[in-house]
């Protein structure tokens, strides 16, 4: 009964707020009065949330968001959209939640706050992942990544914030793809991240860049695609700084064992060469679990034509690699 009374109170507030948005000759109101209507929608949303009337709460939060945006407070507008999305998620209307998080991003992006908008999408993706909606979560990450890539690493809030946000986004998407066993797509995402950090002139991206290439190589090995792992390795020849890094040394050790078709030596290398410390935990776990059957597929793709670090470096006219230079 108490819940019914609360719902009725919420409906009265919504009705009163809606009336304030309509012109009235008697009230001498010629245009919508968002100043008075918005707090009423906010109060109604809170009441509906408390009595678990999530559909009504979602509607009220959306109207409150519209009011805050019209009043010039985009920050509060987005907060209400996130609250509306949470209500939709609790009510298992995941598509609604997806669109509300997108709307929150669009609101921030419209005032040049791309990093803040990307965080909204990331929060939404995590929420949808907890609900088991990995496909919708992946779409939100894609929208966010396209935004930070288009923005070129700089927005009107903070370039540093955007770099950190993008790192979290790429890592989270890789994790989703790994969990769903789409290893080659996860490898492609690592290469996408490498291309992004390489484009940031104001960010010292050397370590992140090398790590991303190593993870891409490892993920292709995990997928049993030795040919793609080798192709990624060969592409690294053009990447400044990679061939003199620890990541290159670890990748070379793994590919050498594949070329030698020696599964035992490969697994010994995985355990002892230090590569596991350079990888995300989820990727490291996969590398440790490569089976002989997968290894056989890898060796066929790698073949016998893997250039060593020294070969690659000498081809670039750099002389031999000094171990002390490995970073």
């Amino acid at each position: 009964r108490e819940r019914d009374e609360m719902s009725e109170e919420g409906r009265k507030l919504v009705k009163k707020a809606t009336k304030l948005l309509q012109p009235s000759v008697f009230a001498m109101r010629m245009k919508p009065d968002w100043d008075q209507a918005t707090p009423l929608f906010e109060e109604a949303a809170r009441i509906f949330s408390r009595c678990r009337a999530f559909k009504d709460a979602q509607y009220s939060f959306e109207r409150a968001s519209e009011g805050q945006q019209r009043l010039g407070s985009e920050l509060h507008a987005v907060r209400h959209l996130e609250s509306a999305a949470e209500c939709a998620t609790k009510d298992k209307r995941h598509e609604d939640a997806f669109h509300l998080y997108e709307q929150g991003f669009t609101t921030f992006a419209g005032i040049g706050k791309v990093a803040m908008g990307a965080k909204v999408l990331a929060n939404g993706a995590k929420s949808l992942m907890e609900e088991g909606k990995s496909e919708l979560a992946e779409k939100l990450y894609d929208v966010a990544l396209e935004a930070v890539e288009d923005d070129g690493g700089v927005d009107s809030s903070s370039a540093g914030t955007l770099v950190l946000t993008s790192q979290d986004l790429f890592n989270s998407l890789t994790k989703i793809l790994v969990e769903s066993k789409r290893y080659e797509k996860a490898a492609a995402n690592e290469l996408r991240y490498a291309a992004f950090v390489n484009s940031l002139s104001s960010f010292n991206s050397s370590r992140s860049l090398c790590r991303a290439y190593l993870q891409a190589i490892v993920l292709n090995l995990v997928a049993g695609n030795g040919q793609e792992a080798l192709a990624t390795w060969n592409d690294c020849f053009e990447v400044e700084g990679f061939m003199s890094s620890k990541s290159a040394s670890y990748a070379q050790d793994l590919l050498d064992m594949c070329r030698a078709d020696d599964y035992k030596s490969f697994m010994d290398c995985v355990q002892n060469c230090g590569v596991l410390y350079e990888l995300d935990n989820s990727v490291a776990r996969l590398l440790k679990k490569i089976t002989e059957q997968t290894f056989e597929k890898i060796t066929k793709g790698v073949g016998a034509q893997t250039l060593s670090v020294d070969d690659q470096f000498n081809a670039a006219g750099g002389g031999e690699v000094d171990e002390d230079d490995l970073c």
Side-chain angles (χ1 to χ4, degrees):
R1 178 171 175 79
E2 183 182 354
R3 184 179 293 183
D4 290 339
E5 289 176 356
M6 290 175 70
S7 292
E8 181 59 29
E9 183 185 352
R11 282 192 287 272
K12 286 178 179 177
L13 288 169
V14 169
K15 186 176 180 180
K16 184 176 180 181
T18 303
K19 227 174 181 181
L20 288 167
L21 300 179
Q22 299 166 351
S24 170
V25 175
F26 295 108
M28 299 184 68
R29 185 172 56 249
M30 299 297 107
K31 61 182 181 179
D33 188 348
W34 285 103
D35 282 296
Q36 290 192 61
T38 301
L40 297 177
F41 281 124
E42 290 170 336
E43 181 59 25
R46 287 189 286 268
I47 290 172
F48 286 133
S49 293
R50 285 199 297 272
C51 66
R52 303 184 66 80
F54 294 124
K55 193 167 186 178
D56 290 330
Q58 178 189 333
Y59 171 80
S60 299
F61 275 124
E62 287 185 66
R63 296 311 304 272
S65 173
E66 183 182 356
Q68 289 291 356
Q69 194 161 5
R70 287 176 180 271
L71 296 172
S73 179
E74 283 80 4
L75 178 61
H76 287 94
V78 173
R79 283 179 179 169
H80 289 328
L81 286 173
E82 289 185 286
S83 295
E86 288 170 14
C87 291
T89 300
K90 288 175 182 176
D91 220 21
K92 305 302 178 185
R93 285 175 286 103
H94 301 108
E95 290 282 350
D96 278 8
F98 172 86
H99 292 300
L100 287 162
Y101 285 121
E102 263 196 324
Q103 193 177 336
F105 163 75
T106 302
T107 301
F108 272 142
I111 57 171
K113 304 289 186 182
V114 175
M116 293 174 72
K119 280 187 178 180
V120 171
L121 292 172
N123 291 338
K126 287 172 185 174
S127 174
L128 290 170
M129 273 300 293
E130 289 171 3
E131 290 287 305
K133 298 298 176 181
S134 58
E135 189 175 331
L136 288 175
E138 186 180 334
K139 285 181 182 178
L140 285 181
Y141 280 126
D142 272 331
V143 173
L145 290 174
E146 285 176 13
V148 297
E149 286 168 332
D150 290 345
D151 208 58
V154 179
D155 73 353
S156 63
S157 52
S158 167
T161 300
L162 190 59
V163 167
L164 294 173
T165 300
S166 65
Q167 191 173 38
D168 179 58
L169 290 169
F170 279 106
N171 289 344
S172 297
L173 181 53
T174 290
K175 187 177 179 182
I176 286 178
L177 295 169
V178 165
E179 287 176 356
S180 59
K181 298 183 179 180
R182 287 177 289 168
Y183 304 131
E184 288 174 276
K185 191 164 183 181
N189 185 59
E190 288 297 309
L191 294 178
R192 182 181 179 185
Y193 177 56
F196 173 73
V197 295
N198 198 38
S199 71
L200 302 178
S201 57
S202 61
F203 176 57
N204 184 7
S205 59
S206 178
R207 183 172 176 79
S208 296
L209 186 70
C210 294
R211 189 167 179 268
Y213 274 110
L214 176 61
Q215 291 218 141
I217 291 169
V218 168
L219 284 162
N220 278 311
L221 292 177
V222 168
N225 193 339
Q227 188 173 6
E228 192 58 39
L230 182 58
T232 301
W233 167 257
N234 289 334
D235 287 343
C236 291
F237 173 59
E238 303 293 335
V239 179
E240 184 179 354
F242 180 81
M243 301 315 296
S244 60
S245 70
K246 282 185 180 180
S247 294
S249 180
Y250 295 144
Q252 176 66 50
D253 289 343
L254 294 174
L255 291 169
D256 276 348
M257 296 304 104
C258 294
R259 182 176 54 179
D261 196 9
D262 187 338
Y263 178 69
K264 184 179 182 303
S265 295
F266 175 83
M267 295 310 295
D268 286 343
C269 178
V270 168
Q271 293 292 342
N272 301 315
C273 79
V275 64
L276 297 177
Y277 298 106
E278 288 293 304
L279 303 170
D280 284 343
N281 290 335
S282 60
V283 179
R285 281 194 296 269
L286 291 172
L287 182 59
K288 289 192 290 185
K289 292 179 181 178
I290 286 182
T291 63
E292 283 193 66
Q293 185 179 9
T294 301
F295 185 74
E296 286 177 13
K297 289 172 62 180
I298 294 169
T299 56
K300 289 176 184 176
V302 170
Q305 299 301 316
T306 311
L307 290 176
S308 70
V309 171
D310 285 342
D311 291 336
Q312 293 272 29
F313 203 69
N314 288 333
E320 292 188 0
V321 177
D322 187 334
E323 288 186 6
D324 292 336
D325 290 336
L326 292 178
C327 61

